[in-house]
Amino acid sequence: MKVLQMEFYKLKRRKIWLAPLLMLTAQLLWGLWSFSDMSAKELSQGWANILYNFPMLNAMMTPVIAAVIASRAADIEHKGNTYKLLQTVASPGRLFDAKLLCAAVWLTAAIVLQTVTITVFGTLRGFAGAPPVDEIALYFVSTLAVSLTILLFQLILSMLVPNQMIGMILGLVGAFIGLFSLFFPQSFQKLLIWAYYGVLYTVRMDWDRATRVVDYYFVRYDSTGLLCICLFFIALYAIGRRLFIRKEV
């Protein structure tokens, strides 16, 4: 707990909250624009519509936000060359865990706020029916699991590699993969952690080419996909923690 408190104290003035806030602001502005003029039919499918589009936004934005948070959490020690000094008062494993927990708190807070924003926005916009609590809960769990796995991957890079531009570039590449993987077969999507926003979709879209009418509908949740991303997280954690412990600093 002391190591974790120290991490929060170090990040107090680093404005680590700014990146998630910018992401949420951009998504809210997109929502206000995209859902500003809706027909009665579109309002009837409003909840499915918004839960279809937000995973796409997350696939484009969250890998970059995760890279920024990871970099801000890790680069302060690289700049001061203090990893070795810190290891005189705390084991490398505890230091790794503290940084991961600290970064995860910020990203989790952003996802909680995003989910609340979606629910409030849909209610105020007049989407038909009560908020689908079960579907929103599945959206939250899926988004959290995928985002924390990407964050862990980025944090491992940021802690092992002093040049933070490498992690940022990979964050941009991850956003590119996350977006275009939505068009890949699901069997291929499950090989890439950035593609799991698409794997864990709870909504599908049906576009009628003749009438140009789009219909959104909820589908059965892919619990196997959730298990896979959790296994990715466990594997990355075990490998990344071990690499950091064995790293000469």
Side-chain angles (χ1 to χ4, degrees):
M1 290 302 297
K2 289 183 179 179
V3 179
L4 182 60
Q5 289 173 2
M6 181 175 64
E7 289 301 319
F8 278 108
Y9 180 78
K10 286 188 292 185
L11 294 175
K12 185 177 181 180
R13 298 182 183 276
R14 306 216 76 202
K15 297 181 180 179
I16 197 172
W17 50 267
L18 187 58
L21 181 62
L22 289 174
M23 179 185 76
L24 289 172
T25 302
Q27 290 181 341
L28 179 59
L29 291 175
W30 172 87
L32 291 173
W33 171 79
S34 180
F35 295 94
S36 59
D37 186 19
M38 302 180 70
S39 65
K41 182 179 185 299
E42 289 171 332
L43 286 172
S44 69
Q45 299 180 351
W47 292 111
N49 189 342
I50 200 168
L51 291 176
Y52 178 87
N53 283 281
F54 261 79
M56 190 185 309
L57 293 176
N58 289 331
M60 291 188 292
M61 297 181 180
T62 307
V64 178
I65 301 304
V68 172
I69 292 175
S71 177
R72 299 295 285 172
D75 73 337
I76 189 170
E77 276 76 26
H78 287 303
K79 288 180 178 178
N81 197 24
T82 56
Y83 272 117
K84 184 177 291 186
L85 178 62
L86 285 174
Q87 290 181 14
T88 63
V89 295
S91 67
R94 288 185 179 181
L95 180 60
F96 181 88
D97 292 341
K99 284 194 174 292
L100 174 59
L101 285 171
C102 182
V105 166
W106 288 106
L107 190 57
T108 300
I111 295 170
V112 170
L113 186 57
Q114 182 198 71
T115 306
V116 172
T117 300
I118 289 173
T119 306
V120 173
F121 177 83
T123 302
L124 295 178
R125 185 64 187 84
F127 290 170
V133 177
D134 292 345
E135 301 296 338
I136 293 174
L138 288 174
Y139 166 82
F140 172 76
V141 171
S142 301
T143 305
L144 184 64
V146 179
S147 300
L148 289 182
T149 303
I150 294 172
L151 174 66
L152 173 58
F153 174 78
Q154 292 291 155
L155 185 64
I156 292 169
L157 287 174
S158 294
M159 293 183 71
L160 294 178
V161 181
N163 187 348
Q164 296 302 300
M165 282 303 298
I166 294 177
M168 294 301 299
I169 291 171
L170 285 174
L172 291 170
V173 172
F176 180 83
I177 293 173
L179 176 61
F180 284 93
S181 66
L182 298 175
F183 304 100
F184 297 161
Q186 194 175 85
S187 58
F188 183 73
Q189 287 179 336
K190 289 186 176 180
L191 300 176
L192 306 167
I193 58 174
W194 304 275
Y196 273 80
Y197 291 110
V199 171
L200 297 177
Y201 256 128
T202 60
V203 181
R204 291 289 183 268
M205 178 185 70
D206 181 25
W207 181 64
D208 191 318
R209 186 183 298 272
T211 62
R212 298 181 180 273
V213 173
V214 177
D215 287 307
Y216 298 94
Y217 56 94
F218 292 107
V219 295
R220 184 177 180 181
Y221 187 67
D222 187 354
S223 55
T224 303
L226 180 62
L227 176 61
C228 287
I229 195 64
C230 290
L231 291 176
F232 266 119
F233 182 91
I234 293 170
L236 282 171
Y237 174 78
I239 295 170
R241 193 174 189 270
R242 183 172 180 82
L243 288 174
F244 181 71
I245 290 174
R246 299 180 63 180
K247 182 179 184 296
E248 294 184 5
V249 293

